[in-house]
């Protein structure tokens, strides 16, 4: 930036003059900047609205699914048994005992300093007859354990310290072999030797070697329904979780129980009411946000006049359409019945209300009808919200994208104006600088002429 000195010859405040001229020149750019500010404010508000509507589309969509309204609670008479009720659960109760828990097979070898074979070759036979061979890099028990763990035979191996060899003083170790999964299907037999040796009957079963032991047998968990009656029936599971005791109910046992456990399943009216209330609350949050941004404000200026300021969404048809779509989705009748029959009503100020007592009464009278109605409303709301907020072609999304393009175009024009104004300022500075030069020349000429006139002889001499 050059150093500017106000007119030394003319006495004019050229910097102030240029600044005033530039302010007038910059009016179009200022208008563009104001448009960018307004558009940015609008975009931010629309993005906030879009996020709220998108979240509503997701939550309402989940509520509309069978799992959203098919809600039940479970209670157990024993802390050792828990249950979760999902879609398809039926109200009722059942008694059973927990006979045993599922467990994985655990086998340990006898103590040894290293694997007796070189190279160490083991064969694992699974409960379904599958045969897999494992060959270790060396006779080190650490290498044998690593080879087993990498082989994917459904068995994990751990080297465990087993003291010292009394004869040599060397460190002894055992290999603990554990099935990767619980249940009878996790059972395995481990042999020293190849699969061919196993088939030929010449392989050595590790459990037959000195010091080896079966620490834990692979077994399924087992429940007995209606214990002690003629209808007693056992149910097994490879894990401690049972999914086929009651429809839609998952039962998990953590301890055996010879005393019958009573499991009760009941409709969760509170959860249903909370789900309906949450839907209404989310809608009101959106309606309230729109109303706030549509509101027109009035202020008084310095002269006492009234200044009316439009809201960010005032007159915005895209927002108005979105508001109407969501409102129609929640208040439209379901099979000729108004949602108000289920406690969902619209107020005169455009808010949705939820009457928990009315909802509870309707639910007690006809639960299936109320759940179906709530699911229908949720689906309609989800569909309407998706049309508005879809990330590809939602009406609000499209509006935001269009406004962002406009802002980009305006910013490009502002940048062009920066160059234009800089050139204009440079021109003005040169013009006024040339003016000073011209004035200086004229002043010099004036001084010379004055001197010449003064040197002329007077008329009386």
């Amino acid at each position: 930036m050059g150093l500017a000195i106000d007119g030394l010859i003319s006495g004019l405040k050229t910097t102030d003059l240029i600044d005033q001229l530039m302010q007038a020149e910059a009016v179009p750019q200022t208008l563009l900047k104001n448009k960018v500010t307004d558009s940015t404010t609008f975009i931010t508000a629309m993005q906030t609205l879009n996020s709220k509507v998108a979240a509503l589309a997701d939550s309402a969509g989940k509520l509309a699914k069978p799992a959203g309204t098919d809600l039940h609670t479970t209670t157990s008479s024993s802390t050792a048994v828990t249950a979760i009720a999902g879609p398809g659960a039926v109200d009722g109760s059942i008694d059973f005992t927990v006979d045993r828990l599922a467990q994985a097979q655990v086998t340990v070898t006898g103590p040894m300093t290293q694997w007796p074979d070189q190279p160490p070759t083991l064969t694992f036979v699974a409960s379904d007859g599958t045969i897999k061979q494992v060959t270790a890099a060396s006779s080190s028990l650490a290498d044998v354990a690593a080879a087993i763990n990498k082989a994917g035979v459904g068995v994990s191996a751990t080297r465990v310290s087993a003291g010292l060899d009394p004869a040599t003083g060397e460190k002894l170790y055992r290999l603990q072999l554990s099935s990767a999964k619980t249940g009878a299907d996790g059972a395995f037999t481990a042999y020293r030797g190849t699969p061919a040796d196993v088939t030929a009957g010449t392989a050595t079963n590790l459990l037959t070697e000195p010091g080896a032991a079966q620490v834990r047998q692979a077994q399924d968990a087992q429940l007995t329904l209606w214990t002690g009656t003629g209808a007693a029936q056992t149910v097994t599971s490879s894990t401690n979780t049972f999914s086929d005791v009651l429809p839609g109910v998952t039962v998990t046992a953590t301890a055996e129980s010879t005393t019958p456990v009573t499991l009760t399943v009941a409709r969760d009216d509170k959860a249903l009411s909370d789900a309906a209330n949450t839907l209404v609350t989310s809608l009101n949050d959106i309606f309230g946000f729109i109303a706030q941004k549509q509101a027109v404000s009035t202020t008084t200026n310095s002269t006492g006049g009234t200044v009316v300021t439009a809201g960010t969404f005032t007159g915005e048809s895209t927002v108005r359409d979105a508001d109407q779509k969501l409102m129609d989705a929640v208040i439209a009748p379901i099979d000729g019945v108004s949602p108000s029959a289920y406690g969902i009503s619209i107020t005169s100020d455009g808010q949705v209300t939820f009457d928990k007592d009315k909802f509870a009464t309707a639910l007690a009278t006809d639960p299936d009808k109320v759940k179906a109605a709530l699911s229908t409303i949720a689906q309609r709301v989800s569909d309407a919200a998706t049309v508005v907020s879809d990330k590809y072609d939602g009406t609000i999304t499209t509006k935001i994208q269009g406004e962002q393009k406009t802002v980009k175009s305006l910013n490009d024009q502002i940048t062009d104006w920066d160059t234009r104004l800089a050139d204009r300022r440079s021109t003005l500075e040169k013009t006024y600088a040339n003016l000073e030069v011209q004035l200086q020349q004229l002043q010099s000429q004036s001084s010379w002429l004055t001197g010449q006139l003064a040197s002329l002889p007077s008329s009386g001499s």
Side-chain angles (χ1 to χ4, degrees), residues 38-296:
D38 292 342
S39 292
T40 301
T41 300
F42 177 75
I43 289 171
T44 300
M46 289 289 275
Q47 288 174 331
T48 299
L49 176 60
N50 212 28
S51 296
K52 289 177 180 289
V53 177
L56 175 64
D58 181 63
S59 61
K62 291 177 180 178
L63 179 59
K65 293 179 180 179
T69 55
D70 196 6
L71 305 175
H72 294 78
T73 60
T74 60
T75 56
S76 171
S77 62
S78 171
T79 56
V81 174
T82 58
I84 298 174
V90 179
D91 297 348
S93 64
I94 193 170
D95 296 335
F96 55 84
T97 55
V98 182
D99 304 326
R100 63 173 183 260
L101 297 178
Q103 60 186 28
Q105 176 178 328
V106 178
T107 299
V108 293
T109 67
M112 61 186 80
T113 56
Q114 61 180 12
W115 198 257
D117 306 319
Q118 183 60 36
T121 300
L122 296 88
T123 298
F124 291 87
V125 181
S127 61
D128 62 358
T130 301
I131 299 176
K132 291 185 178 181
Q133 177 179 318
V134 176
T135 301
S138 75
S139 58
S140 161
L141 289 188
D143 285 346
V144 175
I148 295 171
N149 290 331
K150 292 179 181 178
V153 296
V155 176
S156 63
T158 305
R159 187 185 70 164
V160 182
S161 178
L164 300 176
D165 187 323
T168 64
E170 292 183 81
K171 289 184 177 180
L172 295 173
Y173 297 95
R174 294 174 185 264
L175 277 188
Q176 176 177 290
L177 305 174
S178 306
S179 56
K181 60 182 181 180
T182 59
D185 289 345
F188 64 89
T189 305
Y191 295 90
R192 283 174 51 200
T194 66
D197 296 332
V198 173
T199 302
T202 58
T204 301
N205 186 327
L206 292 184
L207 280 176
T208 64
E209 296 195 318
Q214 185 87 304
V215 178
R216 192 162 61 228
Q217 184 71 40
Q219 68 179 25
D220 289 335
Q222 178 177 298
L223 306 181
T224 299
L225 310 179
W226 312 295
T227 306
T229 71
Q233 174 184 325
T234 60
V235 180
T236 60
S237 172
S238 61
T239 67
N240 292 323
T241 297
F242 298 79
S243 58
D244 50 3
V245 176
L246 291 172
V249 179
T250 301
V251 179
T252 301
T254 57
E256 296 177 358
S257 173
T258 56
T259 301
V261 177
T262 300
L263 180 65
T264 303
V265 180
R267 188 181 67 245
D268 194 345
D269 290 355
K270 182 181 183 304
L272 283 167
S273 179
D274 289 344
N277 186 54
T278 297
L279 177 65
V280 169
T281 299
S282 297
L283 282 163
N284 281 332
D285 179 49
I286 292 172
F287 294 147
F289 181 76
I290 291 175
Q292 175 194 356
K293 296 298 181 181
Q294 285 178 331
V296 176

Side-chain angles (χ1 to χ4, degrees), residues 295-352:
V296 176
S297 62
T298 59
T299 57
T300 304
N301 60 24
S302 58
T303 62
T306 300
V307 179
V308 179
T309 304
T312 306
F313 292 160
T314 301
E316 177 51 51
S317 61
T318 303
V319 174
R320 187 167 57 250
D321 179 67
D323 184 271
Q324 190 61 53
K325 277 184 169 62
L326 293 174
M327 186 62 72
D328 291 343
V330 72
I331 67 173
I334 304 105
D335 296 329
V337 179
S338 170
S340 61
Y342 312 115
I344 300 175
S345 306
I346 182 72
T347 64
S348 59
D349 60 353
Q351 292 290 295
V352 182

